[in-house]
Amino acid sequence: MSTKDYVEKDYYKVLGVPKDATAAEIKKTYRKLAREFHPDANKGDAKAEERFKDISEAYDVLSDEKRRKEYDEARSLFGNGGFRAGGPGGGTYNFDFGDLFSGSGAGGGGGGIGDVFGGLFNRGGRQAQPRRGADVETEVTLSFVEAVDGATVPLRMTSQAPCRTCAGTGAKSGTTPRVCPTCVGAGTVSRGQGAFALSEPCRDCKGRGMLVDDPCTVCHGSGRASSARTMQVRIPAGVQDSQRIRLKGKGAQGERGGQPGDLYVTVHVDDHPVFGRKADNLTVTVPVTFPEAALGGTIEVPTLNGPTVKLKLPAGSANGLTLRARGKGATRKDGTRGDLLVTVEVVVPKHVTGDALSALEQYREATASDDPRAALFKAAEGA
Ligand SMILES: [Zn+2]
Ligand SMILES: [Zn+2]
């Protein structure tokens, strides 16, 4: 059997199985066909004998995972039998491109594959391109204060890094990977012809340009290892809940000298029992008494992680009025700070007794002529 056989014979068709048939399907079909065409069952039938040979040959290749792969490789490259190669005389299952490139393998008719595919392969030996590391997504939950002030948080990252045992080559120690014969180390292959040629990642080496015969026992040949590392990540001040932060170059490491990917951190911010957040401003609701609201005065207000501030409450302040304490809000990107928005809430006492009660009753008498609903009724009638 030779490369020529690989190119010319459709083993899938011989067995009557689809190209993506599983090993079990192939085995089952083979057994059925072998019984049917076995020489013992078809004595003197030359056609059946021929068919039995074909079936056996096809099964030999397709039942062996490595040979099947080589076979698929050869056929995908050279077309399903459409190409007639003057390949090596036979005796090997290995699809040896070395022979093809040099032309030395051409034994029979035809000009040798090297002539025809020269344009495709004369990039031989070129190294595969560096590959940028993958972007990594993670999440972090900050306390309200951390989000306002910014925080350095430890992030435990699991990412793909080169395997330490094989230094990322994927090859067992003491062995080296070989250049992928399909793409000759380029990591990409051209399909189609001339102006219609397309470049795509090589399927055999998965774009890495190298093949490993004896895989590293730790990473099983992938050359990548899952590595957990804890990174200290600075989350800038003023981050909002659900905000996604990009940390350039903090993602997965690149391959073959490629740039690392980026790290995206989605930030969740815990609520604060007292303070709220409106963009760069902090918010707080402060209870005031009716006399404070009516007569005005100075009210003391808490700030986030700082000393209290005193604010002037104007006489006649309505419930829900918002006062502003400048510069007591969240830190902005430029280092300046937003404001603290203080909303006053007039509290009504649940029980009034003693002096307070008599004072209130006095107040009611004193203001008996003021009807707070007079304007309301007037407006309702007028409409
Ligand atoms: Zn390849
Ligand atoms: Zn390894």
Side-chain angles (χ1 to χ4, degrees):
M1 220 169 299
S2 67
T3 304
K4 189 176 164 197
D5 287 336
Y6 273 15
V7 172
E8 293 185 347
K9 292 183 179 174
D10 189 340
Y11 293 141
Y12 292 102
K13 205 169 168 187
V14 169
L15 290 184
V17 293
K19 283 206 173 55
D20 57 358
T22 63
E25 284 166 0
I26 288 170
K27 192 171 183 179
K28 197 178 158 197
T29 308
Y30 164 72
R31 283 192 174 162
K32 188 175 149 275
L33 292 173
R35 263 198 305 274
E36 193 181 336
F37 294 99
H38 198 280
D40 289 352
N42 300 275
K43 282 208 163 66
D45 185 342
K47 266 190 174 174
E49 196 181 319
E50 192 61 30
R51 180 95 170 90
F52 183 74
K53 273 188 194 167
D54 289 345
I55 292 162
S56 303
E57 186 187 324
Y59 183 67
D60 269 355
V61 173
L62 296 188
S63 62
D64 183 311
E65 203 183 319
K66 197 172 165 227
R67 282 195 204 167
R68 184 179 176 186
K69 201 167 167 255
E70 283 168 356
Y71 172 71
D72 289 344
E73 222 164 74
R75 286 183 64 83
S76 72
L77 259 183
F78 295 112
N80 298 319
F83 183 76
R84 295 288 179 271
T92 175
Y93 289 111
N94 291 322
F95 196 64
D96 190 347
F97 274 75
D99 286 349
L100 300 178
F101 302 143
S102 64
S104 66
I113 295 175
D115 295 341
V116 181
F117 287 91
L120 195 66
F121 293 117
N122 58 19
R123 299 171 303 170
R126 200 184 77 184
Q127 280 300 301
Q129 296 295 310
R131 185 186 289 177
R132 184 181 176 274
D135 292 338
V136 177
E137 291 273 353
T138 190
E139 293 179 317
V140 68
T141 300
L142 299 183
S143 73
F144 187 86
V145 175
E146 285 174 325
V148 169
D149 294 343
T152 302
V153 292
L155 277 184
R156 194 178 148 81
M157 307 283 311
T158 1
S159 65
Q160 293 290 300
C163 168
R164 285 190 191 177
T165 309
C166 61
T169 64
K172 198 172 178 176
S173 70
T175 72
T176 44
R178 63 187 163 96
V179 171
C180 170
T182 310
C183 61
V184 208
T188 55
V189 290
S190 295
R191 297 194 189 273
Q193 294 174 355
F196 300 103
L198 290 169
S199 186
E200 60 182 42
C202 174
R203 278 184 286 176
D204 296 320
C205 62
K206 301 196 169 57
R208 301 176 75 206
M210 304 294 267
L211 286 179
V212 170
D213 295 316
D214 215 352
C216 164
T217 49
V218 175
C219 64
H220 306 290
S222 70
R224 311 290 284 167
S226 207
S227 81
R229 56 193 164 128
T230 302
M231 274 196 313
Q232 298 296 323
V233 170
R234 179 71 196 163
I235 307 289
V239 69
Q240 308 265 4
D241 187 38
S242 304
Q243 198 174 328
R244 195 158 161 266
I245 298 172
R246 174 173 173 245
L247 295 157
K248 202 170 182 291
K250 299 284 187 189
Q253 292 178 36
E255 277 183 76
R256 294 181 294 271
Q259 294 290 310
D262 298 332
L263 172 64
Y264 290 91
V265 184
T266 301
V267 180
H268 302 290
V269 181
D270 283 341
D271 287 339
H272 191 280
V274 170
F275 296 97
R277 180 89 181 267
K278 251 185 196 170
D280 298 331
N281 298 325
L282 295 179
T283 61
V284 67
T285 298
V286 175
V288 296
T289 64
F290 171 70
E292 281 176 325
L295 305 175
T298 303
I299 55 169
E300 195 171 10
V301 173
T303 65
L304 188 71
N305 289 345
T308 59
V309 287
K310 283 180 174 153
L311 291 178
K312 197 178 177 310
L313 185 67
S317 289
N319 185 39
L321 176 79
T322 297
L323 305 171
R324 189 178 287 261
R326 297 212 178 271
K328 302 294 179 189
T331 311
R332 296 193 186 98
K333 269 185 194 160
D334 62 4
T336 63
R337 298 187 70 179
D339 303 332
L340 175 63
L341 304 177
V342 181
T343 301
V344 298
E345 186 182 55
V346 178
V347 287
V348 177
K350 282 207 170 82
H351 306 286
V352 188
T353 51
D355 288 349
L357 179 62
S358 46
L360 257 187
E361 282 169 346
Q362 240 181 304
Y363 175 76
R364 181 170 58 188
E365 274 167 41
T367 57
S369 57
D370 302 339
D371 183 359
R373 291 171 289 277
L376 180 72
F377 285 113
K378 203 170 179 187
E381 279 164 24

